[in-house]
């Protein structure tokens, strides 16, 4: 006798996410300036490009029942267009991707280390006017139309349209991380156990702070007083720029892969523990001062791998080592399941500037864009 099993119910993730298999682990993700394209930096050095525009967006598939007012989302009816891949390994994995203008991306070439660019459609080209040295860090000044390019201890501002140099400075230490303040007036350049603060307009040195740690990322607070950085050596680095001092919150259970500031929630949050770790601004822990801790989401038995702060709301996306992805309200216990655990960790987690799309890149070669319907957050 044949037994017929009912079809497995579709999850929310199935209905609002698009997922592609790119065959190798995703190392980093970057939306372009206009939010029309997403590029994934793969572990084998290739780049994968997908369009953010969706012919069957969740908003177009939402139906509201006339009698009850309840909303539902119908499944997709058409296959997804495949990603566009670079033909060969082109991007150096030790240097992060950067936006370039409204539509493009900048990266360090895998073989030469020189500055290259990619279009939203996946064409890769060298920026011939740029310096002929290895790139060690990149950042964008979109309002000025300039790219911050670091070559070891040398730092240049180059015109994003072609790579011609606008300003140049030589620091007394190499630079592997660059952060641009929200108003684009200050640059924080970290490397070799110190961070230099520069004026973005002319690259004049404003100050320098000694700060140890295996820094994985660097971010400014909205008020420009603080810098935060997750560290591979199980610590969170905080720099009080006004005071010219740094401190480390140590003894996290795991590496602090990500840390970020939420202007909407008035807080800084970090991964690396069994729940999202955070403190309320401006009262951060420093020296003997404990700061004002906040609790986000619920504690569990699985470590928080990564967090990504929503750009418009007091929310954050949270990924765990199992591949589980949650959406949490910062400073509250509220949580929403975005994706069930897949058994493979998330290597990259980032929001589009408008907060409508969450990109997820996995170590198993999965690449997803989750698009949240407009009526989901009221």
């Amino acid at each position: 006798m044949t037994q017929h099993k009912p079809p497995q119910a579709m999850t929310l993730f199935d209905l609002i996410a698009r997922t592609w298999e790119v065959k190798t682990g995703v190392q980093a993700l970057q939306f372009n300036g206009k939010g029309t394209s997403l590029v994934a930096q793969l572990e084998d050095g290739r780049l994968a490009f997908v369009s953010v525009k969706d012919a069957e967006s969740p908003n177009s598939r939402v139906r509201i029942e006339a009698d009850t007012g309840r909303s539902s989302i119908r499944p997709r009816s058409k296959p997804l267009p495949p990603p566009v891949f670079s033909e060969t390994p082109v991007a150096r994995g030790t240097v992060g991707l950067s936006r370039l203008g409204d539509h493009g991306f900048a990266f360090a070439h895998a073989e030469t280390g020189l500055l290259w660019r990619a279009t939203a459609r996946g064409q890769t080209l060298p920026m011939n006017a740029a310096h002929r040295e290895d790139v060690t860090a990149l950042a964008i000044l979109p309002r000025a139309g300039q790219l911050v390019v670091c070559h070891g201890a040398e730092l240049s501002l180059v015109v994003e349209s072609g790579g011609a140099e606008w300003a140049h400075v030589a620091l007394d230490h190499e630079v592997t991380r660059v952060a641009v303040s929200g108003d684009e007036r200050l640059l924080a350049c970290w490397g070799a156990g110190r961070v230099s603060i520069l004026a973005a307009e002319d690259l004049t040195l404003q100050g320098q702070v000694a700060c140890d740690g295996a820094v994985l990322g660097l971010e400014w607070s909205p008020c420009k007083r603080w810098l935060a950085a997750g560290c591979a050596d199980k610590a969170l680095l905080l720099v009080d720029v006004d005071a010219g001092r740094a401190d480390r919150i140590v003894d996290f259970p795991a590496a602090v892969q990500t840390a970020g500031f939420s202007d909407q929630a008035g807080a800084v949050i970090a991964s690396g523990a069994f729940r999202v770790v955070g403190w309320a601004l401006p009262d951060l822990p420093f020296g003997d001062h404990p700061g004002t801790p906040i609790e986000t989401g619920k504690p569990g038995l699985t470590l928080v791998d990564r967090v990504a702060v929503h750009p418009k709301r007091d929310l954050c996306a949270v990924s765990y080592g199992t591949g589980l992805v949650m959406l949490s309200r910062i400073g509250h216990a509220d949580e929403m399941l975005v994706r069930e655990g897949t058994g493979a960790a998330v290597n990259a987690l980032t929001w589009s500037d408008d907060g409508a799309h969450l990109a997820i890149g996995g170590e198993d070669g999965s690449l997803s864009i989750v698009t949240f319907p407009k009526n989901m957050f009221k």
Side-chain angles (χ1 to χ4, degrees), residues 11-349:
T11 66
L12 176 65
F13 185 78
D14 295 328
L15 293 170
I16 67 174
R18 289 169 283 166
T19 298
W20 298 267
E21 297 299 328
V22 294
K23 307 300 183 183
T24 187
V26 176
Q27 188 172 24
L29 293 167
Q30 180 71 69
F31 286 97
N32 68 358
K34 282 294 185 181
T36 59
S37 179
L38 174 73
V39 62
Q41 188 173 6
L42 307 183
E43 289 182 348
D44 64 5
R46 292 179 303 152
L47 298 176
F49 303 82
V50 293
S51 175
V52 176
K53 186 177 180 180
D54 185 0
E56 291 187 284
S57 70
N59 286 313
S60 69
R61 292 183 281 115
V62 170
R63 296 292 182 267
I64 300 177
E65 298 177 6
D67 52 345
T68 65
R70 295 178 60 183
S71 61
S72 61
I73 305 176
R74 65 172 176 80
R76 294 179 177 274
S77 60
K78 300 176 182 178
L80 296 173
V84 174
F85 294 92
S86 60
E87 293 183 0
T88 58
V90 293
R92 181 166 290 187
T94 55
V95 182
L97 297 164
S98 174
R99 294 174 177 176
L100 185 65
D102 289 338
H103 300 283
F105 307 94
F107 61 93
H109 193 270
E111 293 183 359
T112 65
L114 303 183
L115 183 62
W116 275 49
R117 65 183 178 90
T119 68
R121 296 180 180 272
Q123 185 181 16
T124 57
L125 301 163
M127 294 184 68
N128 293 321
H131 275 254
R132 307 303 295 176
E133 297 91 11
D134 284 11
V135 174
T136 56
L138 289 168
I140 187 69
L141 295 166
R143 296 172 200 163
Q146 295 171 344
L147 191 66
V148 183
V149 186
C150 301
H151 310 276
E154 306 285 324
L155 187 146
S156 299
L157 296 180
V158 302
V159 179
E160 64 184 21
S161 59
E165 186 175 278
W166 177 267
H168 175 268
V169 68
L171 299 176
D172 61 356
H173 63 90
E174 66 174 9
V175 178
T176 56
R177 308 287 176 192
V178 177
V180 180
S181 63
D183 60 6
E184 296 186 17
R185 293 185 178 182
L186 293 175
L187 304 177
C189 306
W190 182 90
R194 71 195 84 173
V195 62
S196 295
I197 309 300
L198 308 178
E201 183 179 12
D202 56 7
L203 301 184
T204 55
L205 183 65
Q206 306 296 299
Q208 193 174 88
V209 182
C211 47
D212 293 326
V215 168
L216 298 174
L218 192 64
E219 186 170 330
W220 283 94
S221 67
C223 65
K224 297 192 300 184
R225 174 184 172 183
W226 299 97
L227 289 165
C231 299
D233 52 345
K234 301 180 181 181
L236 173 66
L237 172 69
L238 290 175
V239 180
D240 186 337
V241 177
D242 292 347
R245 297 170 54 215
D247 197 10
R248 280 163 48 91
I249 295 89
V250 298
D251 296 330
F252 277 72
V256 182
Q257 300 282 355
T258 50
F261 291 95
S262 171
D263 194 12
Q264 290 70 26
V268 61
I269 61 171
S271 63
F274 290 97
R275 73 183 308 165
V276 179
V277 176
W279 293 268
L281 289 166
D283 193 30
L284 300 188
F286 208 83
D288 295 330
H289 180 63
T292 302
I294 60 172
E295 295 183 350
T296 299
K298 299 178 178 65
L301 300 176
T302 306
L303 287 165
V304 173
D305 261 4
R306 298 177 186 276
V307 294
V309 174
H310 194 284
K312 302 290 185 181
R313 298 179 180 272
D314 60 345
L315 304 173
C316 65
V318 185
S319 71
Y320 295 81
T322 60
L324 175 73
V325 179
M326 304 289 289
L327 197 61
S328 300
R329 187 180 176 199
I330 298 173
H332 300 267
D334 305 347
E335 292 182 324
M336 186 187 81
L337 176 65
V338 175
R339 188 184 75 173
E340 295 179 351
T342 62
V346 172
N347 285 347
L349 192 66

